[in-house]
Amino acid sequence: MTRRAVVTGASSGIGEAVVRALRASGWDVVGVARRAERLEALDAEVGSASFAADLSSEADVAALRAHLEASGDVHALVHVAGGARGADRVEDGDPADWRWMFEANVLSAQLLTAALLPLLRRALTAGAGHADTLYVTSTAAQTAYPGGAGYNAAKAGEAMLVHALRLELNGEPIRVTEIAPGMVRTEEFTRNRLGGDQDAADRLYAGVESPLVAEDVADVIAFALNAPAHVNLDLVTMRPVAQSAQHLLARGPLAPRAEG
């Protein structure tokens, strides 16, 4: 049986890398994002399908569900889309940024999950054996940091959704996985968070030896989805070796400590 995954955030970064990784391991993939032209270019390159949608829009999510229902079974939801805006202190935060982060990270996860669970169950009824829901959160969901409160709150909210969902689906053959990356250097995430300031984004990664890249996260996601059906990776926290914790980042070459 060829399995089909829906991958959000597919127009760039981790989402795009997941589309590539799943196609390379034999999955049919429907990539979802707002930028149709980037999705179409990816489709032409790797043989995925695409559907352009704003995942904070109930109407767009309903249209996505109708498209999927008409075009075949769905065996996995991989929710990568989300993001951060701003790096302000709590007292200086822009309510519009906080509202956007909640909608992009939490509301979109709820809308998608509610829309696609019936399709996952339909695939199970048709003999799929098991189905998957997988969510990319962040180490920001686990540890607060100054200037991160809005994103901390949004990703923690998404993580709590995942934890509750796993309990609610107990007894069904539907795996619920959370992948929580630390520092990942992608084309757009930090630049978008900092209002398009590429220099500021570059400074964040300056001197850090081998931050994670999108392909690293995609490899872990593909491993989780391709694992034996009885194996559920509840939570995978992944960081570059240079980042021992959210607040502890080595800048400069990694090297053994001198003896004596």
Side-chain angles (χ1 to χ4, degrees):
M1 176 186 294
T2 299
R3 300 177 71 81
R4 185 165 73 143
V6 176
V7 178
T8 71
S11 62
S12 66
I14 295 171
E16 179 183 342
V18 172
V19 172
R20 294 178 183 278
L22 291 182
R23 286 294 298 144
S25 62
W27 287 71
D28 287 341
V29 181
V30 178
V32 182
R34 288 172 297 168
R35 293 177 290 184
E37 70 285 351
R38 295 191 69 149
L39 292 175
E40 291 164 4
L42 183 60
D43 291 347
E45 183 179 348
V46 304
S48 52
S50 68
F51 190 91
D54 177 352
L55 297 176
S56 64
S57 163
E58 293 181 49
D60 279 17
V61 172
L64 171 62
R65 172 178 168 162
H67 168 76
L68 295 168
E69 194 167 18
S71 57
D73 287 337
V74 176
H75 304 91
L77 164 61
V78 183
H79 186 40
V80 182
R85 282 189 180 175
D88 298 323
R89 293 163 57 92
V90 172
E91 62 189 301
D92 303 317
D94 184 339
D97 288 344
W98 283 56
R99 186 173 298 109
W100 181 88
M101 284 187 281
F102 181 85
E103 291 180 349
N105 295 284
V106 183
L107 181 61
S108 66
Q110 188 275 327
L111 290 174
L112 274 166
T113 303
L116 268 60
L117 270 176
L119 304 187
L120 296 172
R121 290 184 175 119
R122 187 179 76 171
L124 293 172
T125 301
H130 74 282
D132 283 277
T133 59
L134 186 150
Y135 304 82
V136 176
T137 61
S138 170
T139 55
Q142 303 169 2
T143 306
Y145 55 92
Y151 188 55
N152 290 142
K155 280 302 185 186
E158 184 182 1
M160 285 298 106
L161 179 153
V162 176
H163 298 174
L165 179 66
R166 187 178 298 111
L167 301 178
E168 293 168 358
L169 296 182
N170 180 250
E172 299 187 65
I174 302 176
R175 302 188 295 193
V176 182
T177 299
E178 178 187 356
I179 307 295
M183 174 178 273
V184 183
R185 185 163 198 168
T186 60
E187 175 187 357
E188 297 180 331
F189 179 87
T190 302
R191 185 179 67 209
N192 288 345
R193 180 177 194 172
L194 299 178
D197 188 338
Q198 186 63 56
D199 289 340
D202 290 341
R203 285 195 295 274
L204 178 66
Y205 302 101
V208 178
E209 183 176 322
S210 301
L212 299 181
V213 294
E215 290 75 14
D216 296 323
V217 184
D219 285 347
V220 172
I221 290 171
F223 178 86
L225 294 183
N226 290 320
H230 68 285
V231 176
N232 192 94
L233 302 183
D234 282 21
L235 169 62
V236 178
T237 300
M238 53 186 298
R239 297 185 177 94
V241 174
Q243 186 183 33
S244 299
Q246 193 79 357
H247 65 285
L248 188 57
L249 184 66
R251 296 187 187 272
L254 299 177
R257 182 173 299 170
E259 299 268 344

